Amino acid sequence: MTALAGAEICAIPLAPVEVMLHQGIAGVPSVLLGIVMLMLGGSVWFAPQYRSMAGLVTTLLAAAALVMSNLGGFLIGTLLGIAGGAMMFAWQPVAPRKD
C-alpha cells in the first residue's frame, strides 16, 4: 500500500499538461515525497527490522503530502500512505516454531 501511495503521489505532477494544470516548482515536493514513500515501501521487504521506523516515517510523510502535493494525490495517496504506514508499524514477524 505504501508503494502504491508513493506511486500515486509521484504520478500526479508528472501527468500531461492537458490533464493537470502547470505546476512549475510546486511539483518537486510531490515527486520527492513519492520517491521516498516508494523507497520506504521497498525497505520493509528487504530490511524488515526497520519496519517500525519506516511505518512511522511513512505515516508522517503521507500526512505532509496532504499539504504539500495536491491534497496528497487527491486524498487517495494520503489515505493509502497512512494505511500502509499503520500496517508496517503494526506488523510483527512470525516467530519460528519450537517443536
Side-chain angles (χ1 to χ4, degrees):
M1 287 183 92
T2 300
L4 283 174
E8 202 272 333
I9 289 172
C10 193
I12 296 283
L14 299 178
V17 176
E18 295 84 23
V19 177
M20 290 297 300
L21 298 174
H22 181 66
Q23 292 185 2
I25 196 71
V28 173
S30 299
V31 174
L32 291 176
L33 284 172
I35 290 172
V36 171
M37 287 179 73
L38 281 167
M39 290 173 43
L40 287 169
S43 73
V44 173
W45 285 100
F46 299 112
Q49 65 270 22
Y50 299 119
R51 69 190 177 281
S52 296
M53 183 188 66
L56 182 64
V57 171
T58 298
T59 305
L60 291 174
L61 285 177
L66 186 63
V67 177
M68 296 176 70
S69 69
N70 298 326
L71 293 174
F74 299 122
L75 199 61
I76 296 169
T78 295
L79 293 176
L80 283 172
I82 290 173
M87 286 193 293
M88 283 193 295
F89 189 77
W91 174 59
Q92 295 291 321
V94 177
R97 290 178 49 174
K98 298 176 184 173
D99 291 332

